[in-house]
Amino acid sequence: MARTDTLKLGTFVYTFGFNPAAWRHPEADVQGANKIDHLLNVARISEAAKFDFMFLADSPAAAIGDADALARSPTKMNRFEPLSLISALSVLTEKLGFVATASTSYYEPYNIARIFASIDHLSGGRACWNVVTSDHDETGYNFGFEGLPPHAERYERGSEFVDVVFGLWDSFEPDALVLDKATGLYHDKDKLHTLNHKGKHFQVRGPLNIAASPQGRPVIAQAGGSEAGMELAARTAEVVFSLASNLERNKAFADNIKGRMAKYGRSTNDLKLMPGLVVNVGETKAEAQAKVDFLIDNLHPDVGRWMLGEFLEADLSGVALDQPFPLERLPAEPKGSKAMFEWLRDFIMEGHTVGELIRFYAEKSTGNGITGTPTEIADFMEEWFQAGAADGFILMLPTLPASLNDFVRLVLPELRRRGLFREEYEGKTLRENLGLSMPVNRYAAARDGGDIK
């Protein structure tokens, strides 16, 4: 049976685009990382297109490693702190949602609860917290750690963290503010609640010192693919980010997470699975491929060598580009994607040079989502959507704003022609536009005879 809902779309934002060579694109504003104009332009293009949100990926640390390579790639080296950025962008836009990444490993629950509740008020209900536990050693060095705590410990802390934040967001019942000038009563004291949380990782009294947000609470996004990550997503997440490897694998991932939701009393309608999708579109297949080729040609060899070395956990800094890959540096098992590792291994075994391997990896890792005509890209998205492998997509556009403009000009009309994407926003809040239900305040529910959860 064909679906009656429509695709959800978000713009994934690294400053200049998803491709590490994007800053060298002719339309790139090389000053864009340090002024609001560039990212405000991306937000306004996304909003005019009626996208659901703009997704700010982030790590609170600069990358460390090969200094020569990092000096040529600004992806992690010069960017705004995302919560500050979305605070500014939210008051300069009207209906576009904003997703910002903040780690449970390096904040405290009270800070996160207060900051996101504030942004939700400032934006009129368009804030979303992308919950991460962090997965890079380089971040921990700035927060008193030698690397990262173990995965299980990070997720245990993260799970308790989210529970505390949810509790704090419920501090004020929705109708707690009386605001009666005549009697001098500002809020109903019986509708303001102290959390008094004492757990393994946190001790938080509360209450939060800001009223309930326009969405009841900000939307929650998450991307964890581990067992602990999927369980946390099933219990708490409303947008789940995945990597679009193939339809069957993503459908299994969607079914896995959504199949866990019932035990938490949640409807599968309240979780939108949105794979990240690299899109290169042209009016012809050749034009689309030319855009990929331009970026690969402008990827400096030092950057390519560093990217490949990061994936393979191999130091390639001294290896000549015209030499075969040194087999002694090829690991037995992959650090990341098994499919990507197998592609690389097979390519290496065919005797290709390091330079050829870098180009192969660059195309696979930064341009291999879908490259083609508007019809081909719309076909791809419709197939995934109708199969239940995706409720929408987070567009990992290679360059910003060029690739975003291309998608809006070429693909969006085709999606709308097929009835797959909205003509206008359904509501004013991100929660309304995503089709998510309003969360129930635990204390209001208890007042009505329910249980406090």
Side-chain angles (χ1 to χ4, degrees):
M1 181 182 294
R3 297 177 66 162
T4 57
D5 56 343
T6 55
L7 282 166
K8 308 304 175 187
L9 294 177
T11 305
F12 182 94
V13 176
Y14 285 147
T15 304
F16 302 104
F18 183 66
N19 193 289
W23 70 281
R24 303 180 70 183
H25 190 275
E27 294 180 34
D29 177 0
V30 293
Q31 301 292 333
N34 301 115
K35 59 182 184 181
I36 196 170
D37 307 58
H38 164 61
L39 291 170
L40 178 58
N41 183 38
V42 171
R44 285 177 169 163
I45 295 168
S46 301
E47 184 167 68
K50 315 302 180 188
F51 282 16
D52 291 271
F53 55 74
M54 183 168 159
F55 185 106
L56 280 298
D58 186 62
S59 169
I64 55 175
D66 186 331
D68 290 332
L70 293 171
R72 298 180 180 278
S73 176
T75 304
K76 292 185 179 181
M77 301 305 294
N78 181 25
R79 57 185 175 184
F80 286 121
E81 188 282 312
L83 301 180
S84 304
L85 177 61
I86 70 170
S87 296
L89 294 176
S90 70
V91 298
L92 297 171
T93 52
E94 295 181 359
K95 293 189 176 180
L96 182 70
F98 291 97
V99 184
T101 301
S103 174
T104 59
S105 297
Y106 305 115
Y107 279 91
E108 289 292 320
Y110 195 91
N111 299 126
I112 285 293
R114 191 180 185 210
I115 292 168
F116 272 100
S118 297
I119 295 171
D120 211 44
H121 279 285
L122 291 169
S123 65
R126 293 181 286 131
C128 174
W129 172 28
N130 178 37
V131 180
V132 300
T133 66
S134 295
D135 61 358
H136 296 293
D137 287 345
E138 62 203 29
T139 309
Y141 300 130
N142 296 319
F143 293 89
F145 299 100
E146 289 294 326
L148 283 173
H151 182 274
E153 182 181 326
R154 296 201 312 276
Y155 266 93
E156 182 184 71
R157 174 187 164 98
S159 183
E160 184 181 340
F161 191 115
V162 173
D163 288 343
V164 175
V165 170
F166 281 14
L168 290 169
W169 280 337
D170 279 352
S171 294
F172 280 85
E173 293 184 38
D175 59 349
L177 296 185
V178 179
L179 310 178
D180 190 329
K181 290 184 178 180
T183 64
L185 185 62
Y186 189 78
H187 74 264
D188 183 340
K189 63 180 177 59
D190 293 329
K191 294 185 178 182
L192 174 61
H193 303 275
T194 302
L195 184 62
N196 285 322
H197 175 87
K198 292 184 179 180
K200 180 176 179 179
H201 297 277
F202 303 105
Q203 181 171 317
V204 182
R205 187 192 67 180
L208 192 64
N209 60 349
I210 187 167
S213 79
Q215 300 188 96
R217 65 172 180 248
V219 174
I220 298 296
Q222 205 216 337
S226 67
E227 178 65 24
M230 289 190 288
E231 201 65 27
L232 182 62
R235 187 167 70 85
T236 66
E238 294 160 307
V239 174
V240 171
F241 175 82
S242 67
L243 290 177
S245 53
N246 64 59
L247 187 152
E248 293 75 18
R249 189 174 294 129
N250 225 72
K251 176 67 164 65
F253 180 69
D255 291 345
N256 190 335
I257 289 181
K258 292 187 177 186
R260 302 171 187 234
M261 294 176 71
K263 66 184 177 185
Y264 298 113
R266 300 186 64 203
S267 166
T268 55
N269 293 329
D270 282 327
L271 190 150
K272 307 302 177 185
L273 187 75
M274 299 180 66
L277 182 66
V278 179
V279 176
N280 296 279
V281 61
E283 293 188 10
T284 65
K285 185 86 169 183
E287 180 184 300
Q289 185 60 46
K291 294 175 182 180
V292 176
D293 292 340
F294 171 86
L295 291 170
I296 294 175
D297 289 342
N298 281 276
L299 183 71
H300 193 278
D302 287 346
V303 179
R305 212 175 342 221
W306 173 66
M307 288 170 53
L308 180 62
E310 282 273 289
F311 180 79
L312 294 175
E313 294 187 297
D315 180 9
L316 302 178
S317 55
V319 179
L321 296 176
D322 61 355
Q323 296 299 310
F325 185 92
L327 294 179
E328 68 275 10
R329 302 192 191 186
L330 181 65
E333 296 292 334
K335 173 186 177 183
S337 165
K338 183 178 179 182
M340 175 69 75
F341 178 78
E342 290 173 351
W343 280 333
L344 293 176
R345 183 187 60 200
D346 292 346
F347 196 78
I348 289 168
M349 294 306 178
E350 291 171 5
H352 292 281
T353 66
V354 170
E356 290 169 336
L357 181 64
I358 287 172
R359 187 178 182 89
F360 178 80
Y361 177 65
E363 181 164 359
K364 288 292 184 185
S365 65
T366 63
N368 199 49
I370 176 69
T371 297
T373 65
T375 298
E376 289 173 322
I377 289 168
D379 286 346
F380 178 98
M381 298 174 81
E382 182 173 19
E383 181 183 18
W384 280 54
F385 180 65
Q386 295 295 356
D391 297 302
F393 296 90
I394 298 177
L395 302 175
M396 304 173 81
L397 300 159
T399 64
L400 292 173
S403 299
L404 175 59
N405 280 324
D406 288 344
F407 184 91
V408 170
R409 178 174 62 89
L410 296 172
V411 181
L412 218 54
E414 180 62 20
L415 292 177
R416 286 184 168 134
R417 186 187 68 78
R418 301 181 188 197
L420 290 170
F421 191 65
R422 65 167 68 91
E423 296 283 350
E424 292 293 339
Y425 285 109
E426 292 83 3
K428 294 182 178 180
T429 71
L430 176 58
R431 189 172 289 281
E432 288 174 309
N433 291 326
L434 287 172
L436 302 171
S437 63
M438 280 285 285
V440 177
N441 181 285
R442 66 190 66 191
Y443 303 106
R447 190 182 300 280
D448 293 337
D451 296 326
I452 294 180
K453 296 183 179 179

